[in-house]
Amino acid sequence: MKPKAPETAAPTYLIHDLTVVSPDRQRKDVQSLKNAVISGEQVHFPNRTLLYDLYHDVWSMDGFLRGIIDKRINTVLNKKLKFIDKSGKENVEITKLMRSKAGRGLIKKILESIIWGISGVEFKIGQKFEWEEIPRKHIKPEKGLITKSQYGVSEDNGYKIDDLPFAWIIGEKTDLGLLLACSLYAIYKRGNFGDWAQYVEIFGQPVRIMEYDAYDTKTKEELRKVLNESGNSLAMMIPKQATFQMLDGKQSNGDGQLQSTFKDACNSEMAIAILGNTETTSSSSSSGYAQSKEHGEQQDEITASDLIFVENYLNSEKFLTILKSYGFDVNGEFEYDLDINLAKLKLKIEIDMQVSTKVPIGDDYWYDTYRIPKPDNYDELKKKMDEKSSLAMQPKPSEKPDKKEDPEKEDLSDFSQPKFLDKFFLRLADFFDQARH
């Protein structure tokens, strides 16, 4: 009986043992997308290589698509993330770490898992917090493997993710990402731009048409020479005996509006898939303040969901264990310091003040709802406030005036007194009466 061969040990750095291949930049069409999706959704041997090559192609070449993806990611990156320990105080060291280049880059990879389906990073062993990205084409989430070759599908050609303590794979096993919904429109838009460019090339310049006698070869050669030496715009030489008709489609598309409308439709579909709306990136002819406000609130909901998504992954046992290996105190949790919407807050405080007259509301509610820091000497300050409130409610002793006020003396600046107006009109009547006499 032959002895069992020892299992292949994982390398010190996984990324050094992978055979990385450059992205496929060949022409992509709808059939390419269909084949890539079929390959990625296979039950027994799924492979996302074709799909991620197509994703990379449309993501890197479509400016609008890349812009809306960056907008969604940057909205979260610009929020203030803090690490709060068990005592409720901020751990400045970990907070500063997550604001560094390595920390922000890690948050970006977490968010990119929503767009691409998965993300993978490998943390470097040492005292400094560092990591490198694991190429997505080598990650087989359905099988729980990271393969040496991008086309590998078995454990013989890779490593189990569970056996790699410093490899962190983010995302759901069967999620192909939001780029799947955008790829079709990006491909259509690319073809549309090609047709648009051809339309401009053909009809953007005047067409030169020269006729010649079919039997006059010398005139034909002279005309050819004239056309070659007079510029590069579209030119045609037609025998007089032939019938020529140019149907340019200007009756239905005289200014290229057809291609522009198609391009806008593709952009709108991609914006809805990534941002959940269209009015926060561009304005339509029917847009107004109410519509833009509604779309902005829809995007706020998506941002709030992304913040919770990032918090859940950063507070996961896997990541906190990795942070602990770098020597950080991880007894606490990450949380975002959300921005305050003043318009909503103003409405809320009006409601809260009305409710507080009907039922008692605890002080912690006010601190948590309006993001007011609770003072360390809260009990002492609360006691002083209660004492002042009780004193204010006690009836004041009657005070006698030091001197008797003159009842005839009135404040003429007080317009609320009816006697002032009476005296004013009386004096005005006396003035005009003297003037008449």
Side-chain angles (χ1 to χ4, degrees), residues 217-423:
T217 57
K218 185 176 180 181
T219 302
K220 179 180 179 181
E221 294 299 325
E222 289 293 332
L223 291 176
R224 187 190 304 276
K225 182 179 179 181
V226 171
L227 292 177
N228 292 336
E229 294 177 354
S230 60
N232 296 324
S233 60
L234 181 63
M236 297 181 181
M237 295 175 56
I238 304 171
K240 293 180 179 180
Q241 292 80 359
T243 301
F244 173 75
Q245 188 178 13
M246 193 174 205
L247 302 176
D248 56 6
K250 288 185 177 179
Q251 293 182 355
S252 59
N253 188 36
D255 55 357
Q257 188 64 30
L258 180 65
Q259 290 87 349
S260 178
T261 303
F262 186 77
K263 180 260 298 181
D264 293 340
C266 291
N267 286 343
S268 296
E269 294 296 326
M270 291 189 290
I272 292 173
I274 301 297
L275 301 176
N277 65 87
T278 58
E279 294 297 328
T280 58
T281 54
S282 60
S283 60
S284 61
S285 57
S286 60
S287 64
Y289 173 76
Q291 183 176 352
S292 300
K293 181 181 179 181
E294 179 66 23
H295 285 214
E297 292 178 353
Q298 292 175 4
Q299 188 169 344
D300 290 341
E301 293 297 322
I302 293 180
T303 302
S305 177
D306 289 344
L307 294 175
I308 297 174
F309 182 81
V310 173
E311 286 180 352
N312 289 339
Y313 270 101
L314 293 180
N315 291 322
S316 64
E317 183 180 356
K318 177 77 173 182
F319 181 66
L320 292 179
T321 302
I322 293 173
L323 269 185
K324 188 176 181 180
S325 68
Y326 285 99
F328 293 101
D329 182 9
V330 295
N331 290 322
E333 63 179 10
F334 289 95
E335 65 177 38
Y336 275 100
D337 189 6
L338 302 179
D339 295 333
I340 297 177
N341 189 321
L342 297 180
K344 292 182 178 180
L345 203 63
K346 182 179 179 181
L347 178 61
K348 187 172 182 62
I349 195 171
E350 292 176 357
I351 298 174
D352 289 342
M353 293 298 293
Q354 292 293 330
V355 173
S356 64
T357 61
K358 305 296 182 182
V359 295
I361 300 178
D363 291 348
D364 289 338
Y365 171 81
W366 302 100
Y367 284 113
D368 296 338
T369 303
Y370 300 98
R371 312 281 175 79
I372 303 173
K374 192 172 184 179
D376 296 333
N377 58 340
Y378 165 78
D379 295 332
E380 179 183 351
L381 296 176
K382 180 65 176 177
K383 184 177 180 181
K384 291 181 179 180
M385 289 181 63
D386 292 340
E387 292 176 354
K388 290 181 179 180
S389 178
S390 61
L391 290 175
M393 295 178 63
Q394 293 178 1
K396 296 182 179 180
S398 58
E399 297 180 358
K400 296 182 179 180
D402 296 335
K403 59 181 179 178
K404 186 176 181 180
E405 295 183 356
D406 186 4
E408 297 295 330
K409 186 178 181 180
E410 297 178 0
D411 186 6
L412 296 180
S413 64
D414 187 2
F415 290 88
S416 63
Q417 298 181 8
K419 292 183 179 180
F420 171 80
L421 294 177
D422 296 340
K423 293 180 179 181

Side-chain angles (χ1 to χ4, degrees), residues 82-106:
K82 299 186 295 184
F83 187 83
I84 307 300
D85 58 22
K86 292 298 183 180
S87 62
K89 297 183 179 180
E90 180 182 356
N91 187 320
V92 180
E93 187 180 12
I94 299 181
T95 299
K96 186 177 179 181
L97 172 69
M98 299 311 297
R99 293 179 187 173
S100 65
K101 182 179 179 180
R104 286 174 59 88
L106 183 62

Side-chain angles (χ1 to χ4, degrees), residues 105-132:
L106 183 62
I107 297 174
K108 184 176 181 180
K109 292 303 169 187
I110 295 175
L111 293 168
E112 284 182 353
S113 67
I114 302 174
I115 308 299
W116 293 76
I118 56 171
S119 291
V121 295
E122 181 187 18
F123 296 92
K124 294 183 177 182
I125 301 173
Q127 297 181 352
K128 187 177 180 181
F129 181 81
E130 293 179 315
W131 55 270
E132 286 192 24

Side-chain angles (χ1 to χ4, degrees), residues 5-244:
E7 296 183 359
T8 305
T12 305
Y13 292 114
L14 178 66
I15 190 67
H16 296 164
D17 204 37
L18 304 182
T19 305
V20 181
V21 180
S22 59
D24 180 17
R25 286 291 188 178
Q26 293 184 1
R27 182 177 178 270
K28 304 294 189 299
D29 53 19
V30 177
Q31 186 61 45
S32 302
L33 174 61
K34 184 177 180 180
N35 294 337
V37 173
I38 292 175
S39 176
E41 290 182 337
Q42 288 184 9
V43 177
H44 298 292
F45 300 103
N47 195 308
R48 304 187 183 190
T49 300
L50 296 177
L51 192 62
Y52 283 147
D53 279 336
L54 188 144
Y55 283 0
H56 183 272
D57 190 63
V58 299
W59 167 76
S60 60
M61 300 292 287
D62 193 306
F64 182 86
L65 177 59
R66 188 160 186 167
I68 58 178
I69 290 175
D70 289 344
K71 179 178 181 179
R72 177 167 177 172
I73 292 176
N74 289 333
T75 302
V76 177
L77 289 177
N78 292 332
K79 302 295 183 182
K80 185 178 180 181
L81 178 68
K82 299 186 295 184
F83 187 83
I84 307 300
D85 58 22
K86 292 298 183 180
S87 62
K89 297 183 179 180
E90 180 182 356
N91 187 320
V92 180
E93 187 180 12
I94 299 181
T95 299
K96 186 177 179 181
L97 172 69
M98 299 311 297
R99 293 179 187 173
S100 65
K101 182 179 179 180
R104 286 174 59 88
L106 183 62
I107 297 174
K108 184 176 181 180
K109 292 303 169 187
I110 295 175
L111 293 168
E112 284 182 353
S113 67
I114 302 174
I115 308 299
W116 293 76
I118 56 171
S119 291
V121 295
E122 181 187 18
F123 296 92
K124 294 183 177 182
I125 301 173
Q127 297 181 352
K128 187 177 180 181
F129 181 81
E130 293 179 315
W131 55 270
E132 286 192 24
E133 182 181 7
I134 301 175
R136 292 184 175 91
K137 292 188 289 184
H138 292 258
I139 304 173
K140 317 299 176 184
E142 300 87 353
K143 300 294 183 181
L145 299 174
I146 298 177
T147 57
K148 298 179 182 178
S149 170
Q150 65 181 17
Y151 296 105
V153 292
S154 64
E155 186 179 348
D156 298 335
N157 189 36
Y159 310 98
K160 287 184 177 181
I161 296 176
D162 294 337
D163 296 339
L164 303 171
F166 287 94
W168 193 24
I169 307 303
I170 307 162
E172 300 295 332
K173 291 183 178 181
T174 58
D175 185 15
L176 299 181
L178 297 180
L179 280 174
L180 178 60
C182 299
S183 296
L184 179 64
Y185 302 107
I187 292 173
Y188 278 145
K189 191 174 76 170
R190 182 180 300 180
N192 174 68
F193 267 106
D195 296 339
W196 203 355
Q198 188 177 21
Y199 178 89
V200 173
E201 182 180 3
I202 294 175
F203 301 110
Q205 301 183 45
V207 181
R208 299 170 297 165
I209 301 177
M210 294 186 177
E211 297 181 353
Y212 64 93
D213 195 310
Y215 304 99
D216 190 350
T217 57
K218 185 176 180 181
T219 302
K220 179 180 179 181
E221 294 299 325
E222 289 293 332
L223 291 176
R224 187 190 304 276
K225 182 179 179 181
V226 171
L227 292 177
N228 292 336
E229 294 177 354
S230 60
N232 296 324
S233 60
L234 181 63
M236 297 181 181
M237 295 175 56
I238 304 171
K240 293 180 179 180
Q241 292 80 359
T243 301
F244 173 75

